[in-house]
Short mmCIF file of all heavy atoms in Angstrom, two decimals:
data_model
loop_
_atom_site.label_atom_id
_atom_site.label_comp_id
_atom_site.label_asym_id
_atom_site.label_seq_id
_atom_site.Cartn_x
_atom_site.Cartn_y
_atom_site.Cartn_z
N MET A 28 -46.49 -13.65 95.03
CA MET A 28 -47.34 -12.97 94.04
C MET A 28 -48.72 -13.62 93.96
O MET A 28 -48.87 -14.82 94.08
CB MET A 28 -46.68 -13.01 92.66
CG MET A 28 -45.57 -11.98 92.48
SD MET A 28 -46.14 -10.28 92.72
CE MET A 28 -47.00 -10.01 91.15
N SER A 29 -49.70 -12.80 93.72
CA SER A 29 -51.05 -13.32 93.54
C SER A 29 -51.24 -13.77 92.09
O SER A 29 -50.34 -13.64 91.27
CB SER A 29 -52.08 -12.25 93.89
OG SER A 29 -51.84 -11.08 93.16
N GLU A 30 -52.40 -14.25 91.80
CA GLU A 30 -52.66 -14.71 90.43
C GLU A 30 -52.63 -13.54 89.45
O GLU A 30 -52.77 -12.39 89.85
CB GLU A 30 -54.00 -15.42 90.36
CG GLU A 30 -55.17 -14.52 90.72
CD GLU A 30 -56.40 -15.35 91.11
OE1 GLU A 30 -56.45 -15.79 92.28
OE2 GLU A 30 -57.26 -15.54 90.28
N GLU A 31 -52.47 -13.86 88.18
CA GLU A 31 -52.35 -12.84 87.16
C GLU A 31 -53.63 -12.01 87.03
O GLU A 31 -54.73 -12.54 87.07
CB GLU A 31 -52.05 -13.52 85.83
CG GLU A 31 -51.39 -12.61 84.83
CD GLU A 31 -50.79 -13.43 83.69
OE1 GLU A 31 -51.54 -13.73 82.76
OE2 GLU A 31 -49.60 -13.75 83.76
N GLN A 32 -53.45 -10.72 86.85
CA GLN A 32 -54.59 -9.82 86.68
C GLN A 32 -54.78 -9.56 85.18
O GLN A 32 -53.87 -9.10 84.51
CB GLN A 32 -54.31 -8.49 87.41
CG GLN A 32 -54.10 -8.68 88.90
CD GLN A 32 -53.66 -7.41 89.61
OE1 GLN A 32 -54.07 -7.17 90.72
NE2 GLN A 32 -52.83 -6.60 88.98
N THR A 33 -55.96 -9.87 84.71
CA THR A 33 -56.23 -9.71 83.28
C THR A 33 -57.27 -8.63 83.05
O THR A 33 -58.31 -8.59 83.70
CB THR A 33 -56.73 -11.04 82.69
OG1 THR A 33 -55.82 -12.08 83.02
CG2 THR A 33 -56.86 -10.93 81.18
N CYS A 34 -56.97 -7.75 82.09
CA CYS A 34 -57.87 -6.64 81.78
C CYS A 34 -59.20 -7.15 81.21
O CYS A 34 -59.21 -7.96 80.29
CB CYS A 34 -57.18 -5.72 80.79
SG CYS A 34 -58.19 -4.33 80.26
N GLN A 35 -60.31 -6.63 81.74
CA GLN A 35 -61.64 -7.04 81.29
C GLN A 35 -61.95 -6.52 79.90
O GLN A 35 -62.86 -6.97 79.24
CB GLN A 35 -62.71 -6.50 82.26
CG GLN A 35 -62.61 -7.06 83.65
CD GLN A 35 -62.74 -8.57 83.67
OE1 GLN A 35 -63.78 -9.10 83.31
NE2 GLN A 35 -61.67 -9.26 84.06
N ARG A 36 -61.18 -5.54 79.46
CA ARG A 36 -61.50 -4.92 78.16
C ARG A 36 -60.62 -5.45 77.04
O ARG A 36 -61.11 -5.83 76.00
CB ARG A 36 -61.36 -3.40 78.26
CG ARG A 36 -61.92 -2.67 77.06
CD ARG A 36 -62.17 -1.20 77.41
NE ARG A 36 -63.01 -0.56 76.43
CZ ARG A 36 -62.55 0.10 75.36
NH1 ARG A 36 -61.26 0.19 75.15
NH2 ARG A 36 -63.37 0.67 74.53
N CYS A 37 -59.31 -5.49 77.23
CA CYS A 37 -58.41 -5.89 76.15
C CYS A 37 -57.80 -7.27 76.36
O CYS A 37 -57.20 -7.82 75.44
CB CYS A 37 -57.33 -4.84 75.94
SG CYS A 37 -56.10 -4.79 77.25
N GLY A 38 -57.94 -7.83 77.55
CA GLY A 38 -57.45 -9.18 77.79
C GLY A 38 -55.97 -9.29 78.09
O GLY A 38 -55.46 -10.39 78.28
N GLU A 39 -55.27 -8.16 78.12
CA GLU A 39 -53.84 -8.18 78.42
C GLU A 39 -53.61 -8.18 79.93
O GLU A 39 -54.49 -7.81 80.70
CB GLU A 39 -53.17 -6.93 77.83
CG GLU A 39 -53.31 -6.78 76.33
CD GLU A 39 -52.32 -7.62 75.56
OE1 GLU A 39 -51.26 -7.95 76.13
OE2 GLU A 39 -52.62 -7.97 74.40
N THR A 40 -52.40 -8.59 80.32
CA THR A 40 -52.05 -8.57 81.73
C THR A 40 -51.95 -7.14 82.24
O THR A 40 -51.48 -6.26 81.53
CB THR A 40 -50.68 -9.26 81.94
OG1 THR A 40 -50.76 -10.57 81.43
CG2 THR A 40 -50.32 -9.32 83.41
N VAL A 41 -52.43 -6.91 83.45
CA VAL A 41 -52.39 -5.57 84.04
C VAL A 41 -51.40 -5.54 85.19
O VAL A 41 -51.53 -6.29 86.16
CB VAL A 41 -53.78 -5.15 84.57
CG1 VAL A 41 -53.72 -3.74 85.15
CG2 VAL A 41 -54.82 -5.24 83.47
N GLU A 42 -50.38 -4.69 85.07
CA GLU A 42 -49.36 -4.55 86.11
C GLU A 42 -49.74 -3.43 87.07
O GLU A 42 -49.29 -2.31 86.94
CB GLU A 42 -48.00 -4.23 85.48
CG GLU A 42 -47.59 -5.17 84.36
CD GLU A 42 -46.83 -6.38 84.90
OE1 GLU A 42 -46.48 -6.37 86.08
OE2 GLU A 42 -46.62 -7.33 84.12
N LEU A 43 -50.62 -3.75 88.00
CA LEU A 43 -51.05 -2.76 88.97
C LEU A 43 -51.17 -3.41 90.34
O LEU A 43 -51.33 -4.63 90.43
CB LEU A 43 -52.43 -2.21 88.59
CG LEU A 43 -52.57 -1.09 87.57
CD1 LEU A 43 -54.05 -0.74 87.41
CD2 LEU A 43 -51.81 0.15 88.00
N GLU A 44 -51.13 -2.61 91.39
CA GLU A 44 -51.46 -3.13 92.71
C GLU A 44 -52.90 -3.63 92.64
O GLU A 44 -53.74 -3.03 91.96
CB GLU A 44 -51.37 -1.99 93.75
CG GLU A 44 -49.99 -1.40 93.91
CD GLU A 44 -49.01 -2.40 94.51
OE1 GLU A 44 -49.45 -3.26 95.31
OE2 GLU A 44 -47.82 -2.34 94.17
N ALA A 45 -53.20 -4.71 93.34
CA ALA A 45 -54.55 -5.30 93.32
C ALA A 45 -55.61 -4.25 93.65
O ALA A 45 -56.68 -4.21 93.06
CB ALA A 45 -54.63 -6.45 94.32
N GLU A 46 -55.28 -3.37 94.59
CA GLU A 46 -56.20 -2.30 94.99
C GLU A 46 -56.54 -1.38 93.83
O GLU A 46 -57.70 -1.05 93.59
CB GLU A 46 -55.53 -1.47 96.09
CG GLU A 46 -56.33 -1.30 97.34
CD GLU A 46 -55.51 -0.64 98.42
OE1 GLU A 46 -55.38 0.60 98.36
OE2 GLU A 46 -54.99 -1.35 99.31
N ASP A 47 -55.50 -0.98 93.10
CA ASP A 47 -55.70 -0.09 91.95
C ASP A 47 -56.44 -0.81 90.83
O ASP A 47 -57.28 -0.24 90.15
CB ASP A 47 -54.36 0.42 91.43
CG ASP A 47 -53.68 1.34 92.44
OD1 ASP A 47 -54.40 1.96 93.25
OD2 ASP A 47 -52.45 1.44 92.41
N PHE A 48 -56.11 -2.08 90.67
CA PHE A 48 -56.76 -2.91 89.65
C PHE A 48 -58.27 -2.93 89.89
O PHE A 48 -59.07 -2.77 88.96
CB PHE A 48 -56.17 -4.32 89.72
CG PHE A 48 -56.63 -5.25 88.64
CD1 PHE A 48 -56.54 -4.89 87.31
CD2 PHE A 48 -57.15 -6.50 88.96
CE1 PHE A 48 -56.97 -5.77 86.30
CE2 PHE A 48 -57.56 -7.38 87.97
CZ PHE A 48 -57.47 -7.02 86.65
N GLU A 49 -58.68 -3.10 91.13
CA GLU A 49 -60.11 -3.09 91.48
C GLU A 49 -60.71 -1.72 91.22
O GLU A 49 -61.84 -1.59 90.74
CB GLU A 49 -60.30 -3.46 92.96
CG GLU A 49 -59.95 -4.89 93.30
CD GLU A 49 -60.85 -5.89 92.59
OE1 GLU A 49 -62.01 -5.56 92.29
OE2 GLU A 49 -60.38 -7.02 92.34
N LEU A 50 -59.94 -0.69 91.54
CA LEU A 50 -60.39 0.69 91.38
C LEU A 50 -60.72 0.99 89.92
O LEU A 50 -61.69 1.69 89.62
CB LEU A 50 -59.27 1.61 91.87
CG LEU A 50 -59.65 3.05 92.22
CD1 LEU A 50 -60.48 3.05 93.49
CD2 LEU A 50 -58.39 3.88 92.44
N PHE A 51 -59.95 0.42 89.01
CA PHE A 51 -60.18 0.63 87.58
C PHE A 51 -61.08 -0.45 86.98
O PHE A 51 -61.01 -0.74 85.79
CB PHE A 51 -58.84 0.68 86.83
CG PHE A 51 -58.07 1.95 87.07
CD1 PHE A 51 -56.89 1.94 87.79
CD2 PHE A 51 -58.54 3.17 86.57
CE1 PHE A 51 -56.18 3.13 88.02
CE2 PHE A 51 -57.84 4.34 86.79
CZ PHE A 51 -56.67 4.33 87.52
N GLU A 52 -61.94 -1.04 87.83
CA GLU A 52 -62.90 -2.05 87.35
C GLU A 52 -62.21 -3.20 86.64
O GLU A 52 -62.71 -3.74 85.67
CB GLU A 52 -63.95 -1.39 86.42
CG GLU A 52 -64.70 -0.23 87.03
CD GLU A 52 -65.76 -0.69 88.03
OE1 GLU A 52 -66.01 -1.90 88.13
OE2 GLU A 52 -66.32 0.18 88.71
N ARG A 53 -61.05 -3.59 87.17
CA ARG A 53 -60.27 -4.72 86.61
C ARG A 53 -59.87 -4.48 85.16
O ARG A 53 -59.96 -5.36 84.30
CB ARG A 53 -61.06 -6.04 86.76
CG ARG A 53 -61.55 -6.27 88.19
CD ARG A 53 -62.31 -7.55 88.35
NE ARG A 53 -61.44 -8.72 88.25
CZ ARG A 53 -60.64 -9.15 89.24
NH1 ARG A 53 -60.58 -8.50 90.38
NH2 ARG A 53 -59.91 -10.22 89.08
N MET A 54 -59.45 -3.24 84.89
CA MET A 54 -58.95 -2.89 83.56
C MET A 54 -57.67 -2.07 83.71
O MET A 54 -57.33 -1.61 84.79
CB MET A 54 -59.96 -1.98 82.83
CG MET A 54 -61.28 -2.61 82.52
SD MET A 54 -62.32 -1.39 81.70
CE MET A 54 -63.93 -2.11 82.00
N HIS A 55 -57.01 -1.85 82.55
CA HIS A 55 -55.93 -0.87 82.52
C HIS A 55 -56.55 0.50 82.73
O HIS A 55 -57.68 0.75 82.31
CB HIS A 55 -55.25 -0.85 81.15
CG HIS A 55 -54.50 -2.10 80.82
ND1 HIS A 55 -54.98 -3.03 79.92
CD2 HIS A 55 -53.31 -2.56 81.26
CE1 HIS A 55 -54.09 -4.02 79.83
NE2 HIS A 55 -53.08 -3.77 80.62
N PRO A 56 -55.81 1.43 83.34
CA PRO A 56 -56.30 2.79 83.46
C PRO A 56 -56.76 3.36 82.11
O PRO A 56 -57.78 4.04 82.04
CB PRO A 56 -55.10 3.56 84.01
CG PRO A 56 -54.34 2.53 84.79
CD PRO A 56 -54.52 1.24 84.03
N ASP A 57 -55.99 3.09 81.06
CA ASP A 57 -56.36 3.58 79.73
C ASP A 57 -57.64 2.92 79.22
O ASP A 57 -58.51 3.57 78.64
CB ASP A 57 -55.23 3.32 78.73
CG ASP A 57 -54.06 4.26 78.94
OD1 ASP A 57 -54.13 5.10 79.85
OD2 ASP A 57 -53.08 4.15 78.19
N CYS A 58 -57.76 1.62 79.45
CA CYS A 58 -58.97 0.90 79.02
C CYS A 58 -60.17 1.41 79.80
O CYS A 58 -61.27 1.56 79.24
CB CYS A 58 -58.79 -0.60 79.22
SG CYS A 58 -57.64 -1.33 78.03
N PHE A 59 -59.98 1.67 81.06
CA PHE A 59 -61.04 2.23 81.89
C PHE A 59 -61.49 3.57 81.32
O PHE A 59 -62.68 3.86 81.21
CB PHE A 59 -60.54 2.41 83.33
CG PHE A 59 -61.58 2.99 84.26
CD1 PHE A 59 -62.49 2.17 84.91
CD2 PHE A 59 -61.63 4.36 84.48
CE1 PHE A 59 -63.44 2.71 85.77
CE2 PHE A 59 -62.59 4.91 85.33
CZ PHE A 59 -63.49 4.08 85.98
N HIS A 60 -60.52 4.37 80.95
CA HIS A 60 -60.81 5.68 80.37
C HIS A 60 -61.68 5.53 79.11
O HIS A 60 -62.70 6.20 78.97
CB HIS A 60 -59.52 6.43 80.05
CG HIS A 60 -59.74 7.73 79.35
ND1 HIS A 60 -60.16 8.86 80.00
CD2 HIS A 60 -59.64 8.05 78.04
CE1 HIS A 60 -60.31 9.83 79.11
NE2 HIS A 60 -59.99 9.37 77.91
N PHE A 61 -61.28 4.63 78.22
CA PHE A 61 -62.05 4.43 76.99
C PHE A 61 -63.43 3.84 77.27
O PHE A 61 -64.41 4.17 76.60
CB PHE A 61 -61.28 3.55 76.01
CG PHE A 61 -60.16 4.27 75.32
CD1 PHE A 61 -58.86 3.82 75.42
CD2 PHE A 61 -60.42 5.41 74.57
CE1 PHE A 61 -57.82 4.50 74.80
CE2 PHE A 61 -59.38 6.10 73.95
CZ PHE A 61 -58.08 5.63 74.06
N ALA A 62 -63.50 2.97 78.27
CA ALA A 62 -64.77 2.30 78.58
C ALA A 62 -65.78 3.25 79.22
O ALA A 62 -66.98 3.19 78.93
CB ALA A 62 -64.52 1.11 79.50
N PHE A 63 -65.30 4.16 80.07
CA PHE A 63 -66.25 4.95 80.86
C PHE A 63 -66.17 6.47 80.69
O PHE A 63 -67.13 7.17 80.96
CB PHE A 63 -66.05 4.64 82.36
CG PHE A 63 -66.37 3.23 82.71
CD1 PHE A 63 -65.37 2.36 83.08
CD2 PHE A 63 -67.69 2.78 82.68
CE1 PHE A 63 -65.66 1.04 83.40
CE2 PHE A 63 -68.00 1.47 83.01
CZ PHE A 63 -66.98 0.60 83.37
N GLU A 64 -65.02 6.97 80.28
CA GLU A 64 -64.84 8.42 80.32
C GLU A 64 -64.65 9.07 78.95
O GLU A 64 -65.05 10.21 78.75
CB GLU A 64 -63.62 8.77 81.19
CG GLU A 64 -63.72 8.19 82.58
CD GLU A 64 -62.43 8.41 83.39
OE1 GLU A 64 -61.34 8.47 82.79
OE2 GLU A 64 -62.53 8.52 84.61
N HIS A 65 -64.04 8.32 78.03
CA HIS A 65 -63.57 8.94 76.79
C HIS A 65 -64.66 9.67 76.00
O HIS A 65 -64.45 10.79 75.53
CB HIS A 65 -62.90 7.87 75.92
CG HIS A 65 -62.25 8.42 74.69
ND1 HIS A 65 -61.16 9.26 74.74
CD2 HIS A 65 -62.53 8.25 73.37
CE1 HIS A 65 -60.81 9.59 73.50
NE2 HIS A 65 -61.63 8.99 72.65
N ASP A 66 -65.84 9.05 75.84
CA ASP A 66 -66.88 9.72 75.03
C ASP A 66 -68.02 10.27 75.85
O ASP A 66 -69.12 10.50 75.36
CB ASP A 66 -67.38 8.78 73.94
CG ASP A 66 -68.12 7.57 74.50
OD1 ASP A 66 -68.16 7.42 75.73
OD2 ASP A 66 -68.65 6.79 73.69
N LEU A 67 -67.75 10.49 77.14
CA LEU A 67 -68.77 11.06 78.03
C LEU A 67 -69.27 12.40 77.52
O LEU A 67 -70.48 12.64 77.45
CB LEU A 67 -68.20 11.25 79.43
CG LEU A 67 -68.53 10.19 80.48
CD1 LEU A 67 -68.06 10.68 81.84
CD2 LEU A 67 -70.02 9.89 80.51
N ASN A 68 -68.34 13.26 77.18
CA ASN A 68 -68.69 14.61 76.75
C ASN A 68 -69.00 14.69 75.26
O ASN A 68 -69.72 15.58 74.81
CB ASN A 68 -67.58 15.59 77.10
CG ASN A 68 -67.37 15.68 78.61
OD1 ASN A 68 -68.33 15.66 79.37
ND2 ASN A 68 -66.12 15.75 79.04
N LYS A 69 -68.42 13.75 74.51
CA LYS A 69 -68.65 13.72 73.06
C LYS A 69 -69.04 12.30 72.65
O LYS A 69 -68.20 11.53 72.21
CB LYS A 69 -67.38 14.14 72.31
CG LYS A 69 -66.89 15.53 72.66
CD LYS A 69 -65.51 15.76 72.03
CE LYS A 69 -64.90 17.08 72.52
NZ LYS A 69 -63.48 17.19 72.16
N PRO A 70 -70.30 11.95 72.81
CA PRO A 70 -70.75 10.59 72.49
C PRO A 70 -70.35 10.18 71.07
O PRO A 70 -70.51 10.96 70.14
CB PRO A 70 -72.27 10.68 72.62
CG PRO A 70 -72.49 11.78 73.61
CD PRO A 70 -71.40 12.79 73.31
N GLY A 71 -69.81 8.97 70.94
CA GLY A 71 -69.43 8.47 69.63
C GLY A 71 -68.02 8.86 69.22
O GLY A 71 -67.57 8.47 68.14
N LEU A 72 -67.32 9.60 70.05
CA LEU A 72 -65.94 9.99 69.74
C LEU A 72 -65.08 8.75 69.52
O LEU A 72 -65.14 7.80 70.29
CB LEU A 72 -65.37 10.81 70.90
CG LEU A 72 -63.98 11.40 70.69
CD1 LEU A 72 -64.04 12.54 69.68
CD2 LEU A 72 -63.41 11.91 72.00
N SER A 73 -64.30 8.74 68.46
CA SER A 73 -63.47 7.57 68.17
C SER A 73 -62.28 7.51 69.11
O SER A 73 -61.90 8.50 69.72
CB SER A 73 -62.99 7.60 66.73
OG SER A 73 -61.78 8.32 66.61
N ALA A 74 -61.69 6.31 69.21
CA ALA A 74 -60.55 6.09 70.09
C ALA A 74 -59.28 6.72 69.54
O ALA A 74 -58.22 6.65 70.15
CB ALA A 74 -60.35 4.60 70.33
N GLU A 75 -59.38 7.32 68.34
CA GLU A 75 -58.22 7.96 67.71
C GLU A 75 -58.11 9.42 68.10
O GLU A 75 -57.08 10.05 67.90
CB GLU A 75 -58.32 7.90 66.18
CG GLU A 75 -58.77 6.57 65.64
CD GLU A 75 -57.67 5.52 65.71
OE1 GLU A 75 -56.67 5.72 65.02
OE2 GLU A 75 -57.82 4.56 66.48
N GLU A 76 -59.22 9.96 68.62
CA GLU A 76 -59.25 11.38 68.91
C GLU A 76 -59.13 11.67 70.39
O GLU A 76 -59.70 10.97 71.22
CB GLU A 76 -60.58 11.97 68.39
CG GLU A 76 -60.71 11.95 66.89
CD GLU A 76 -62.08 12.45 66.46
OE1 GLU A 76 -62.23 13.66 66.29
OE2 GLU A 76 -62.99 11.61 66.33
N ASN A 77 -58.42 12.74 70.71
CA ASN A 77 -58.31 13.18 72.09
C ASN A 77 -59.65 13.76 72.52
O ASN A 77 -60.28 14.52 71.80
CB ASN A 77 -57.21 14.24 72.21
CG ASN A 77 -56.94 14.59 73.66
OD1 ASN A 77 -57.72 15.26 74.30
ND2 ASN A 77 -55.82 14.15 74.17
N CYS A 78 -60.10 13.38 73.72
CA CYS A 78 -61.43 13.79 74.18
C CYS A 78 -61.38 15.07 75.01
O CYS A 78 -62.40 15.61 75.39
CB CYS A 78 -62.07 12.68 75.00
SG CYS A 78 -61.18 12.30 76.52
N GLY A 79 -60.16 15.55 75.28
CA GLY A 79 -60.05 16.78 76.05
C GLY A 79 -59.79 16.55 77.52
O GLY A 79 -59.38 17.45 78.24
N ASP A 80 -60.02 15.32 77.97
CA ASP A 80 -59.73 14.95 79.35
C ASP A 80 -58.21 14.90 79.54
O ASP A 80 -57.51 14.38 78.68
CB ASP A 80 -60.35 13.58 79.64
CG ASP A 80 -60.34 13.24 81.12
OD1 ASP A 80 -59.28 13.40 81.77
OD2 ASP A 80 -61.39 12.84 81.64
N GLU A 81 -57.73 15.42 80.64
CA GLU A 81 -56.28 15.41 80.85
C GLU A 81 -55.75 13.99 81.07
O GLU A 81 -54.56 13.74 80.94
CB GLU A 81 -55.88 16.31 82.02
CG GLU A 81 -56.50 15.93 83.35
CD GLU A 81 -56.15 16.94 84.44
OE1 GLU A 81 -55.84 18.11 84.08
OE2 GLU A 81 -56.18 16.56 85.62
N ALA A 82 -56.65 13.05 81.36
CA ALA A 82 -56.23 11.65 81.53
C ALA A 82 -56.26 10.90 80.21
O ALA A 82 -55.91 9.72 80.15
CB ALA A 82 -57.16 10.96 82.53
N CYS A 83 -56.68 11.57 79.13
CA CYS A 83 -56.81 10.88 77.85
C CYS A 83 -55.46 10.45 77.30
O CYS A 83 -54.55 11.26 77.18
CB CYS A 83 -57.51 11.78 76.84
SG CYS A 83 -57.98 10.88 75.34
N PRO A 84 -55.31 9.16 76.98
CA PRO A 84 -54.05 8.65 76.45
C PRO A 84 -53.83 8.96 74.97
O PRO A 84 -52.76 8.70 74.43
CB PRO A 84 -54.17 7.14 76.68
CG PRO A 84 -55.62 6.85 76.71
CD PRO A 84 -56.30 8.10 77.19
N VAL A 85 -54.83 9.50 74.30
CA VAL A 85 -54.72 9.79 72.86
C VAL A 85 -54.06 11.14 72.62
O VAL A 85 -54.36 12.12 73.29
CB VAL A 85 -56.11 9.80 72.19
CG1 VAL A 85 -55.96 10.03 70.69
CG2 VAL A 85 -56.84 8.50 72.46
N GLY A 86 -53.21 11.17 71.63
CA GLY A 86 -52.58 12.42 71.21
C GLY A 86 -51.62 12.96 72.24
O GLY A 86 -50.55 12.46 72.39
N ALA A 87 -51.97 14.00 72.94
CA ALA A 87 -51.16 14.65 73.95
C ALA A 87 -49.93 15.37 73.36
O ALA A 87 -49.38 14.95 72.37
CB ALA A 87 -50.68 13.68 75.02
ZN1 ZN B 115 -56.66 -3.19 78.90
ZN1 ZN B 116 -60.12 10.27 76.10
#
């Protein structure tokens, strides 16, 4: 095993292939979504609300 992968956003361990981890800018997929995609269409949207993206972890 390689060294532990730590999320740049929340600081928790990320259980992903190293390749995927790099792909998500060294974050969880969900953290990546909140960092870059969540409020793209609705600036200022809170993390409690679904943004309409099918990848959004909120609500569903
Ligand atoms: Zn995270
Ligand atoms: Zn979202």
Side-chain angles (χ1 to χ4, degrees):
M28 281 301 283
S29 54
E30 62 200 81
E31 202 165 85
Q32 300 173 143
T33 307
C34 178
Q35 297 300 297
R36 191 162 195 268
C37 72
E39 301 279 335
T40 304
V41 182
E42 309 272 349
L43 277 181
E44 297 294 328
E46 233 172 79
D47 292 334
F48 186 53
E49 292 296 332
L50 199 70
F51 286 112
E52 304 284 352
R53 308 180 71 77
M54 296 179 200
H55 293 105
D57 286 0
C58 288
F59 180 87
H60 175 77
F61 284 121
F63 296 110
E64 305 174 330
H65 187 65
D66 66 355
L67 261 189
N68 297 321
K69 301 171 188 169
L72 185 72
S73 88
E75 316 285 295
E76 293 175 88
N77 188 287
C78 64
D80 191 312
E81 59 185 24
C83 191
V85 183

